[in-house]
Amino acid sequence: MTNTKERAEDTCSFVYQCRLSLSTRTVNHLADLLRRHLKVIRSRWRILPPGKIAMIVLAILRHDQRLADMAGGNNVSESTVRRWRDELIALLAAQAPRLDRALKKVAKQGEEVVLIDGTLIRTQRRTGKADRRNYSGKHRNHGLHFLALTDENGRLIWISAARPGRTHDNTAARHDHILAHLRDAGLGALADLGFRGLDNDILDPVIVTGYFASRTHKLTPGQKTANRVLAVGRAPVEHGFAHLKNWRILTKLRTDPARATQLLRALLVLTSLEVNR
């Protein structure tokens, strides 16, 4: 057997088309955002127009297209596509609302409660002790934990910073002072049992979590009914997570965990454009 560098057959590169299931409003928003940014930094030239760059970045975020594939299909370098992606993610993340402003906006709209929940975004397993904290025993997987707030209809209004996968919902909520922000805005919140113990005010609770059953404490019929009603009220928060996870780049994050917060907040802005159109 001999090694040879000759090709058995003539080969060439092929470029295929893929439908991007996003609204024109989202593409135009991202393109306009880039145009304003280029004007601010006084950059008059890009190898591709802003609209085309916006399409490339959205394809990466929506379909998890590889940078090398997108670069080859558009006759640019992989480092250029990476720079465009990071640039637009940073611009979008800067538009994500702060917690206090998001809650005040909901209160001004006349709503009384929000929905809160935590979830895990899976990541690639990394070697070394530093990655052990990203292992979630609950999900039996490596990932990053974050909290999200939605309105009563399941529209995302805020996303927390990404934290190690082993982080408990209560720990993350206390770190973000969610209870205090809810009281300041005059809003209540519906949550699952993972937030049990976060609000210890029995007379005037802000966060409602339902009743917990144990081996020694069985639920009464009234408590079971209350839990079912709460579960129905909390259902839209899962719809909010579903809309967010339609961005396939979140299927299994390969980015640096330190940049995950910026990515999640950028996707929050894009999700809001798609859902609220």
Side-chain angles (χ1 to χ4, degrees):
M1 180 177 180
T2 58
N3 293 329
T4 178
K5 294 183 179 179
E6 296 180 359
R7 297 179 180 179
E9 298 179 358
D10 292 336
T11 60
C12 60
S13 299
F14 294 95
V15 178
Y16 66 91
Q17 292 182 338
C18 180
R19 181 180 179 183
L20 189 60
S21 57
L22 295 173
S23 65
T24 305
R25 176 189 177 188
T26 301
V27 178
N28 291 339
H29 176 85
L30 197 54
D32 292 341
L33 193 63
L34 179 57
R35 292 189 186 99
R36 292 195 297 268
H37 175 66
L38 295 178
K39 187 176 181 179
V40 169
I41 65 176
R42 298 182 180 181
S43 175
R44 296 179 295 176
W45 184 83
R46 283 285 196 276
I47 193 171
L48 292 178
K52 184 68 173 180
I53 295 175
M55 291 286 289
I56 292 173
V57 173
L58 287 173
I60 294 171
L61 299 178
R62 191 67 169 184
H63 296 302
D64 196 19
Q65 295 284 357
R66 300 300 189 267
L67 300 181
D69 295 339
M70 298 303 298
N74 292 278
N75 296 320
V76 295
S77 67
E78 183 178 348
S79 61
T80 298
V81 176
R82 180 181 293 105
R83 184 170 63 252
W84 290 343
R85 180 202 63 185
D86 295 342
E87 184 179 44
L88 287 178
I89 285 177
L91 292 174
L92 286 169
Q95 295 186 323
R98 291 182 355 190
L99 177 57
D100 54 347
R101 295 177 182 176
L103 292 177
K104 288 179 181 179
K105 182 179 179 180
V106 172
K108 287 182 180 179
Q109 293 173 350
E111 299 186 22
E112 298 180 351
V113 298
V114 294
L115 312 178
I116 181 174
D117 202 358
T119 191
L120 186 82
I121 298 296
R122 295 184 178 182
T123 61
Q124 283 187 331
R125 182 177 179 179
R126 299 171 182 266
T127 59
K129 295 181 179 179
D131 192 51
R132 291 181 182 177
R133 61 179 186 166
N134 290 335
Y135 182 78
S136 170
K138 176 181 177 182
H139 298 89
R140 297 183 179 180
N141 228 308
H142 286 76
L144 297 174
H145 174 276
F146 73 94
L147 298 177
L149 292 177
T150 72
D151 61 12
E152 296 179 6
N153 297 317
R155 291 188 291 263
L156 286 166
I157 60 175
W158 175 78
I159 284 180
S160 73
R163 296 187 173 88
R166 68 182 183 185
T167 305
H168 193 275
D169 290 341
N170 265 356
T171 303
R174 291 190 179 100
H175 188 275
D176 291 319
H177 307 287
I178 287 181
L179 182 59
H181 284 296
L182 287 171
R183 290 190 185 278
D184 291 341
L187 294 171
L190 303 182
D192 60 17
L193 294 175
F195 295 88
R196 190 167 55 96
L198 181 61
D199 185 2
N200 294 319
D201 192 338
I202 301 177
L203 299 178
D204 186 22
V206 173
I207 299 178
V208 179
T209 59
Y211 297 96
F212 177 75
S214 64
R215 292 181 179 179
T216 58
H217 177 73
K218 304 299 181 181
L219 297 183
T220 64
Q223 291 173 334
K224 292 181 180 179
T225 301
N227 281 353
R228 284 195 293 269
V229 172
L230 180 62
V232 172
R234 286 191 59 260
V237 73
E238 301 298 336
H239 301 162
F241 281 135
H243 289 306
L244 183 66
K245 292 181 179 181
N246 279 336
W247 300 92
R248 295 178 187 171
I249 194 171
L250 296 181
T251 302
K252 198 166 189 178
L253 277 181
R254 292 180 297 276
T255 186
D256 185 353
R259 297 184 179 181
T261 296
Q262 197 174 55
L263 172 62
L264 288 168
R265 289 176 176 169
L267 295 180
L268 167 64
V269 175
L270 292 174
T271 302
S272 298
L273 288 172
E274 283 295 298
V275 175
N276 301 333
R277 60 185 178 182

CSV table of all heavy atoms in Angstrom, one decimal, residues 190-239:
chain,number,residue,atom,x,y,z
A,190,LEU,N,-45.3,33.2,39.8
A,190,LEU,CA,-45.7,31.8,39.9
A,190,LEU,C,-44.4,31.0,39.6
A,190,LEU,O,-43.8,31.3,38.6
A,190,LEU,CB,-46.8,31.5,39.0
A,190,LEU,CG,-48.1,32.3,39.1
A,190,LEU,CD1,-49.1,31.7,38.1
A,190,LEU,CD2,-48.7,32.2,40.5
A,191,ALA,N,-44.1,30.1,40.5
A,191,ALA,CA,-42.9,29.3,40.3
A,191,ALA,C,-43.1,27.8,40.7
A,191,ALA,O,-44.2,27.5,41.3
A,191,ALA,CB,-41.8,29.9,41.2
A,192,ASP,N,-42.2,27.0,40.4
A,192,ASP,CA,-42.3,25.6,40.7
A,192,ASP,C,-41.7,25.3,42.1
A,192,ASP,O,-41.2,26.3,42.8
A,192,ASP,CB,-41.7,24.7,39.7
A,192,ASP,CG,-40.2,24.9,39.5
A,192,ASP,OD1,-39.6,25.6,40.4
A,192,ASP,OD2,-39.7,24.5,38.5
A,193,LEU,N,-41.7,24.1,42.6
A,193,LEU,CA,-41.2,23.8,43.9
A,193,LEU,C,-39.7,24.0,44.1
A,193,LEU,O,-39.2,24.0,45.2
A,193,LEU,CB,-41.5,22.3,44.2
A,193,LEU,CG,-43.0,22.0,44.4
A,193,LEU,CD1,-43.3,20.5,44.6
A,193,LEU,CD2,-43.6,22.8,45.5
A,194,GLY,N,-39.0,24.2,43.0
A,194,GLY,CA,-37.6,24.5,43.1
A,194,GLY,C,-37.3,25.8,43.7
A,194,GLY,O,-36.2,26.1,44.2
A,195,PHE,N,-38.3,26.7,43.8
A,195,PHE,CA,-38.1,28.0,44.5
A,195,PHE,C,-38.8,28.0,45.9
A,195,PHE,O,-38.9,29.1,46.5
A,195,PHE,CB,-38.8,29.1,43.6
A,195,PHE,CG,-38.1,29.3,42.3
A,195,PHE,CD1,-38.5,28.6,41.2
A,195,PHE,CD2,-37.1,30.2,42.2
A,195,PHE,CE1,-37.8,28.7,39.9
A,195,PHE,CE2,-36.4,30.4,40.9
A,195,PHE,CZ,-36.8,29.7,39.8
A,196,ARG,N,-39.1,26.9,46.3
A,196,ARG,CA,-39.7,26.8,47.7
A,196,ARG,C,-38.7,27.3,48.7
A,196,ARG,O,-37.6,26.9,48.8
A,196,ARG,CB,-40.1,25.3,48.0
A,196,ARG,CG,-40.9,25.1,49.2
A,196,ARG,CD,-41.5,23.7,49.2
A,196,ARG,NE,-40.4,22.7,49.1
A,196,ARG,CZ,-39.9,22.1,50.2
A,196,ARG,NH1,-40.3,22.4,51.4
A,196,ARG,NH2,-38.9,21.2,50.0
A,197,GLY,N,-39.2,28.1,49.6
A,197,GLY,CA,-38.3,28.7,50.6
A,197,GLY,C,-37.7,30.0,50.3
A,197,GLY,O,-37.1,30.7,51.1
A,198,LEU,N,-37.9,30.5,49.0
A,198,LEU,CA,-37.3,31.8,48.6
A,198,LEU,C,-38.1,32.9,49.3
A,198,LEU,O,-37.5,33.9,49.7
A,198,LEU,CB,-37.4,31.9,47.1
A,198,LEU,CG,-36.8,33.2,46.5
A,198,LEU,CD1,-35.3,33.3,46.8
A,198,LEU,CD2,-37.0,33.2,45.0
A,199,ASP,N,-39.4,32.8,49.3
A,199,ASP,CA,-40.2,33.8,50.0
A,199,ASP,C,-40.9,33.2,51.2
A,199,ASP,O,-41.8,32.3,51.1
A,199,ASP,CB,-41.3,34.3,49.0
A,199,ASP,CG,-42.1,35.4,49.5
A,199,ASP,OD1,-41.9,35.9,50.6
A,199,ASP,OD2,-43.1,35.9,48.8
A,200,ASN,N,-40.5,33.7,52.4
A,200,ASN,CA,-41.0,33.1,53.6
A,200,ASN,C,-42.1,34.0,54.3
A,200,ASN,O,-42.4,33.7,55.4
A,200,ASN,CB,-39.8,33.0,54.6
A,200,ASN,CG,-38.8,32.0,54.2
A,200,ASN,OD1,-39.1,30.9,53.7
A,200,ASN,ND2,-37.5,32.3,54.3
A,201,ASP,N,-42.6,34.9,53.5
A,201,ASP,CA,-43.6,35.8,54.0
A,201,ASP,C,-45.0,35.0,53.9
A,201,ASP,O,-45.5,34.9,52.8
A,201,ASP,CB,-43.7,37.1,53.3
A,201,ASP,CG,-44.6,38.1,53.9
A,201,ASP,OD1,-45.5,37.7,54.7
A,201,ASP,OD2,-44.4,39.3,53.7
A,202,ILE,N,-45.5,34.6,55.0
A,202,ILE,CA,-46.7,33.8,54.9
A,202,ILE,C,-48.0,34.6,54.7
A,202,ILE,O,-48.9,34.3,54.0
A,202,ILE,CB,-46.9,33.0,56.3
A,202,ILE,CG1,-45.7,32.0,56.4
A,202,ILE,CG2,-48.2,32.2,56.2
A,202,ILE,CD1,-45.7,31.3,57.7
A,203,LEU,N,-48.0,35.8,55.3
A,203,LEU,CA,-49.1,36.7,55.2
A,203,LEU,C,-49.3,37.4,53.9
A,203,LEU,O,-50.4,37.5,53.4
A,203,LEU,CB,-49.1,37.8,56.3
A,203,LEU,CG,-49.0,37.3,57.8
A,203,LEU,CD1,-48.9,38.4,58.7
A,203,LEU,CD2,-50.3,36.4,58.1
A,204,ASP,N,-48.2,37.8,53.3
A,204,ASP,CA,-48.3,38.4,52.0
A,204,ASP,C,-47.2,37.9,51.0
A,204,ASP,O,-46.2,38.6,50.7
A,204,ASP,CB,-48.1,40.0,52.2
A,204,ASP,CG,-48.3,40.7,50.9
A,204,ASP,OD1,-49.0,40.2,49.9
A,204,ASP,OD2,-47.8,41.9,50.8
A,205,PRO,N,-47.3,36.7,50.6
A,205,PRO,CA,-46.3,36.1,49.7
A,205,PRO,C,-46.3,36.7,48.3
A,205,PRO,O,-47.3,37.1,47.8
A,205,PRO,CB,-46.7,34.6,49.6
A,205,PRO,CG,-48.2,34.6,49.8
A,205,PRO,CD,-48.5,35.7,50.8
A,206,VAL,N,-45.1,36.9,47.8
A,206,VAL,CA,-44.9,37.4,46.4
A,206,VAL,C,-44.7,36.2,45.5
A,206,VAL,O,-45.2,36.3,44.3
A,206,VAL,CB,-43.7,38.3,46.4
A,206,VAL,CG1,-43.3,38.8,45.0
A,206,VAL,CG2,-43.9,39.6,47.3
A,207,ILE,N,-43.9,35.2,45.9
A,207,ILE,CA,-43.7,34.1,45.0
A,207,ILE,C,-44.5,32.9,45.5
A,207,ILE,O,-44.3,32.4,46.6
A,207,ILE,CB,-42.2,33.7,45.0
A,207,ILE,CG1,-41.4,34.9,44.5
A,207,ILE,CG2,-41.9,32.5,44.2
A,207,ILE,CD1,-39.9,34.7,44.5
A,208,VAL,N,-45.3,32.4,44.6
A,208,VAL,CA,-46.2,31.2,45.0
A,208,VAL,C,-45.6,30.0,44.3
A,208,VAL,O,-45.4,29.9,43.1
A,208,VAL,CB,-47.6,31.5,44.4
A,208,VAL,CG1,-48.5,30.3,44.8
A,208,VAL,CG2,-48.2,32.8,45.0
A,209,THR,N,-45.4,29.0,45.2
A,209,THR,CA,-44.7,27.8,44.7
A,209,THR,C,-45.6,26.5,44.8
A,209,THR,O,-45.1,25.4,44.4
A,209,THR,CB,-43.4,27.5,45.4
A,209,THR,OG1,-43.7,27.5,46.8
A,209,THR,CG2,-42.5,28.7,45.2
A,210,GLY,N,-46.7,26.6,45.4
A,210,GLY,CA,-47.5,25.3,45.6
A,210,GLY,C,-47.2,24.6,46.8
A,210,GLY,O,-46.3,25.0,47.6
A,211,TYR,N,-47.7,23.4,47.0
A,211,TYR,CA,-47.5,22.6,48.2
A,211,TYR,C,-46.6,21.4,47.8
A,211,TYR,O,-46.7,20.8,46.7
A,211,TYR,CB,-48.9,22.1,48.7
A,211,TYR,CG,-49.8,23.2,49.1
A,211,TYR,CD1,-50.8,23.7,48.2
A,211,TYR,CD2,-49.7,23.7,50.4
A,211,TYR,CE1,-51.6,24.7,48.6
A,211,TYR,CE2,-50.5,24.8,50.8
A,211,TYR,CZ,-51.5,25.3,49.9
A,211,TYR,OH,-52.3,26.3,50.3
A,212,PHE,N,-45.9,21.0,48.8
A,212,PHE,CA,-44.9,19.9,48.7
A,212,PHE,C,-45.3,18.7,49.5
A,212,PHE,O,-45.7,18.8,50.7
A,212,PHE,CB,-43.5,20.4,49.2
A,212,PHE,CG,-42.4,19.3,49.1
A,212,PHE,CD1,-41.9,18.9,47.9
A,212,PHE,CD2,-42.0,18.7,50.3
A,212,PHE,CE1,-40.9,18.0,47.9
A,212,PHE,CE2,-41.0,17.7,50.3
A,212,PHE,CZ,-40.5,17.4,49.0
A,213,ALA,N,-45.3,17.5,48.8
A,213,ALA,CA,-45.7,16.3,49.5
A,213,ALA,C,-44.4,15.5,49.9
A,213,ALA,O,-43.4,15.5,49.2
A,213,ALA,CB,-46.6,15.5,48.6
A,214,SER,N,-44.5,14.8,51.0
A,214,SER,CA,-43.4,14.0,51.4
A,214,SER,C,-44.0,12.6,51.9
A,214,SER,O,-45.2,12.4,52.0
A,214,SER,CB,-42.6,14.7,52.5
A,214,SER,OG,-43.4,14.9,53.7
A,215,ARG,N,-43.1,11.8,52.4
A,215,ARG,CA,-43.6,10.5,52.9
A,215,ARG,C,-44.4,10.6,54.2
A,215,ARG,O,-45.3,9.9,54.4
A,215,ARG,CB,-42.4,9.6,53.2
A,215,ARG,CG,-41.6,9.1,52.0
A,215,ARG,CD,-40.4,8.2,52.3
A,215,ARG,NE,-39.7,7.8,51.2
A,215,ARG,CZ,-38.6,7.0,51.2
A,215,ARG,NH1,-38.2,6.5,52.4
A,215,ARG,NH2,-38.0,6.6,50.1
A,216,THR,N,-44.1,11.6,54.9
A,216,THR,CA,-44.8,11.8,56.2
A,216,THR,C,-45.9,12.8,56.1
A,216,THR,O,-46.7,13.0,57.0
A,216,THR,CB,-43.8,12.3,57.3
A,216,THR,OG1,-43.2,13.5,56.9
A,216,THR,CG2,-42.8,11.2,57.5
A,217,HIS,N,-45.9,13.6,55.0
A,217,HIS,CA,-47.0,14.6,54.8
A,217,HIS,C,-47.6,14.5,53.5
A,217,HIS,O,-47.1,14.8,52.4
A,217,HIS,CB,-46.3,16.0,55.0
A,217,HIS,CG,-47.3,17.1,54.7
A,217,HIS,ND1,-48.3,17.4,55.6
A,217,HIS,CD2,-47.5,18.0,53.7
A,217,HIS,CE1,-49.1,18.4,55.2
A,217,HIS,NE2,-48.6,18.8,54.0
A,218,LYS,N,-48.8,13.9,53.5
A,218,LYS,CA,-49.6,13.8,52.3
A,218,LYS,C,-50.4,15.0,52.0
A,218,LYS,O,-50.9,15.7,52.9
A,218,LYS,CB,-50.5,12.5,52.3
A,218,LYS,CG,-49.7,11.2,52.7
A,218,LYS,CD,-48.7,10.9,51.6
A,218,LYS,CE,-48.0,9.6,51.9
A,218,LYS,NZ,-47.0,9.3,50.9
A,219,LEU,N,-50.6,15.3,50.7
A,219,LEU,CA,-51.4,16.5,50.4
A,219,LEU,C,-52.9,16.2,50.5
A,219,LEU,O,-53.4,15.1,50.2
A,219,LEU,CB,-51.1,16.9,48.9
A,219,LEU,CG,-49.7,17.3,48.6
A,219,LEU,CD1,-49.6,17.8,47.2
A,219,LEU,CD2,-49.2,18.4,49.5
A,220,THR,N,-53.6,17.2,50.9
A,220,THR,CA,-55.1,17.1,51.0
A,220,THR,C,-55.6,17.4,49.6
A,220,THR,O,-55.0,17.9,48.7
A,220,THR,CB,-55.6,18.2,52.0
A,220,THR,OG1,-55.3,19.5,51.4
A,220,THR,CG2,-54.9,18.1,53.4
A,221,PRO,N,-56.9,17.0,49.4
A,221,PRO,CA,-57.5,17.2,48.1
A,221,PRO,C,-57.5,18.7,47.7
A,221,PRO,O,-57.3,19.0,46.5
A,221,PRO,CB,-59.0,16.7,48.3
A,221,PRO,CG,-58.8,15.7,49.4
A,221,PRO,CD,-57.8,16.2,50.3
A,222,GLY,N,-57.7,19.6,48.7
A,222,GLY,CA,-57.6,21.0,48.4
A,222,GLY,C,-56.2,21.5,47.9
A,222,GLY,O,-56.1,22.3,47.0
A,223,GLN,N,-55.2,20.9,48.5
A,223,GLN,CA,-53.8,21.2,48.1
A,223,GLN,C,-53.5,20.7,46.8
A,223,GLN,O,-52.8,21.3,46.0
A,223,GLN,CB,-52.8,20.7,49.2
A,223,GLN,CG,-52.9,21.4,50.5
A,223,GLN,CD,-52.1,20.8,51.6
A,223,GLN,OE1,-51.8,19.6,51.5
A,223,GLN,NE2,-51.6,21.6,52.6
A,224,LYS,N,-54.0,19.5,46.5
A,224,LYS,CA,-53.7,18.9,45.1
A,224,LYS,C,-54.4,19.8,44.1
A,224,LYS,O,-53.9,20.0,43.0
A,224,LYS,CB,-54.3,17.5,45.1
A,224,LYS,CG,-53.5,16.5,45.9
A,224,LYS,CD,-54.1,15.1,45.8
A,224,LYS,CE,-53.3,14.1,46.7
A,224,LYS,NZ,-53.9,12.7,46.6
A,225,THR,N,-55.6,20.2,44.4
A,225,THR,CA,-56.3,21.1,43.4
A,225,THR,C,-55.6,22.4,43.2
A,225,THR,O,-55.4,22.9,42.1
A,225,THR,CB,-57.7,21.4,43.9
A,225,THR,OG1,-58.5,20.2,44.1
A,225,THR,CG2,-58.5,22.3,42.9
A,226,ALA,N,-55.0,23.0,44.3
A,226,ALA,CA,-54.3,24.2,44.2
A,226,ALA,C,-53.0,24.0,43.3
A,226,ALA,O,-52.6,24.9,42.5
A,226,ALA,CB,-53.9,24.7,45.6
A,227,ASN,N,-52.3,22.8,43.5
A,227,ASN,CA,-51.2,22.6,42.7
A,227,ASN,C,-51.5,22.4,41.2
A,227,ASN,O,-50.7,22.9,40.3
A,227,ASN,CB,-50.5,21.3,43.2
A,227,ASN,CG,-49.7,21.5,44.4
A,227,ASN,OD1,-49.4,22.6,44.9
A,227,ASN,ND2,-49.2,20.4,45.0
A,228,ARG,N,-52.7,21.8,40.9
A,228,ARG,CA,-53.1,21.7,39.5
A,228,ARG,C,-53.4,23.1,38.9
A,228,ARG,O,-53.0,23.3,37.7
A,228,ARG,CB,-54.3,20.8,39.4
A,228,ARG,CG,-54.0,19.3,39.6
A,228,ARG,CD,-55.1,18.4,39.1
A,228,ARG,NE,-56.3,18.6,40.0
A,228,ARG,CZ,-56.5,17.8,41.1
A,228,ARG,NH1,-55.7,16.8,41.4
A,228,ARG,NH2,-57.6,18.0,41.8
A,229,VAL,N,-54.0,23.9,39.7
A,229,VAL,CA,-54.3,25.3,39.2
A,229,VAL,C,-53.0,26.0,38.9
A,229,VAL,O,-52.9,26.7,37.9
A,229,VAL,CB,-55.2,26.0,40.2
A,229,VAL,CG1,-55.4,27.5,39.7
A,229,VAL,CG2,-56.6,25.3,40.2
A,230,LEU,N,-52.1,25.9,39.8
A,230,LEU,CA,-50.8,26.5,39.7
A,230,LEU,C,-50.0,26.0,38.5
A,230,LEU,O,-49.4,26.8,37.7
A,230,LEU,CB,-49.9,26.3,40.9
A,230,LEU,CG,-48.5,27.0,40.9
A,230,LEU,CD1,-48.6,28.5,40.8
A,230,LEU,CD2,-47.8,26.6,42.2
A,231,ALA,N,-50.1,24.7,38.2
A,231,ALA,CA,-49.4,24.1,37.1
A,231,ALA,C,-50.0,24.7,35.8
A,231,ALA,O,-49.2,24.9,34.8
A,231,ALA,CB,-49.5,22.6,37.1
A,232,VAL,N,-51.3,24.8,35.7
A,232,VAL,CA,-51.9,25.4,34.5
A,232,VAL,C,-51.5,26.9,34.3
A,232,VAL,O,-51.2,27.3,33.2
A,232,VAL,CB,-53.4,25.3,34.6
A,232,VAL,CG1,-54.1,26.1,33.5
A,232,VAL,CG2,-53.9,23.9,34.6
A,233,GLY,N,-51.4,27.6,35.4
A,233,GLY,CA,-50.9,29.0,35.3
A,233,GLY,C,-49.5,29.1,34.9
A,233,GLY,O,-49.1,30.1,34.2
A,234,ARG,N,-48.7,28.1,35.3
A,234,ARG,CA,-47.2,28.2,34.9
A,234,ARG,C,-46.9,27.6,33.6
A,234,ARG,O,-45.8,27.8,33.1
A,234,ARG,CB,-46.4,27.4,36.0
A,234,ARG,CG,-46.3,28.0,37.3
A,234,ARG,CD,-45.3,27.3,38.2
A,234,ARG,NE,-44.0,27.2,37.5
A,234,ARG,CZ,-43.5,26.2,36.8
A,234,ARG,NH1,-44.2,25.1,36.7
A,234,ARG,NH2,-42.3,26.3,36.3
A,235,ALA,N,-47.8,27.0,32.9
A,235,ALA,CA,-47.5,26.3,31.6
A,235,ALA,C,-46.9,27.3,30.6
A,235,ALA,O,-46.0,26.8,29.9
A,235,ALA,CB,-48.8,25.7,31.1
A,236,PRO,N,-47.4,28.5,30.5
A,236,PRO,CA,-46.8,29.4,29.4
A,236,PRO,C,-45.3,29.6,29.6
A,236,PRO,O,-44.7,29.9,28.5
A,236,PRO,CB,-47.6,30.7,29.6
A,236,PRO,CG,-48.9,30.3,30.2
A,236,PRO,CD,-48.5,29.1,31.1
A,237,VAL,N,-44.7,29.5,30.8
A,237,VAL,CA,-43.3,29.7,30.9
A,237,VAL,C,-42.5,28.7,30.1
A,237,VAL,O,-41.4,29.0,29.5
A,237,VAL,CB,-42.8,29.7,32.4
A,237,VAL,CG1,-42.9,28.3,32.9
A,237,VAL,CG2,-41.4,30.3,32.5
A,238,GLU,N,-43.0,27.5,29.9
A,238,GLU,CA,-42.4,26.4,29.1
A,238,GLU,C,-42.5,26.8,27.6
A,238,GLU,O,-41.5,26.5,26.9
A,238,GLU,CB,-43.1,25.1,29.3
A,238,GLU,CG,-43.0,24.6,30.8
A,238,GLU,CD,-41.6,24.4,31.3
A,238,GLU,OE1,-40.6,24.2,30.4
A,238,GLU,OE2,-41.3,24.5,32.5
A,239,HIS,N,-43.5,27.5,27.2
A,239,HIS,CA,-43.6,28.0,25.9
A,239,HIS,C,-42.5,29.0,25.6
A,239,HIS,O,-41.9,29.0,24.5
A,239,HIS,CB,-45.0,28.6,25.6
A,239,HIS,CG,-46.1,27.6,25.8
A,239,HIS,ND1,-47.4,28.1,26.0
A,239,HIS,CD2,-46.1,26.3,25.9
A,239,HIS,CE1,-48.2,27.0,26.2
A,239,HIS,NE2,-47.4,25.9,26.2
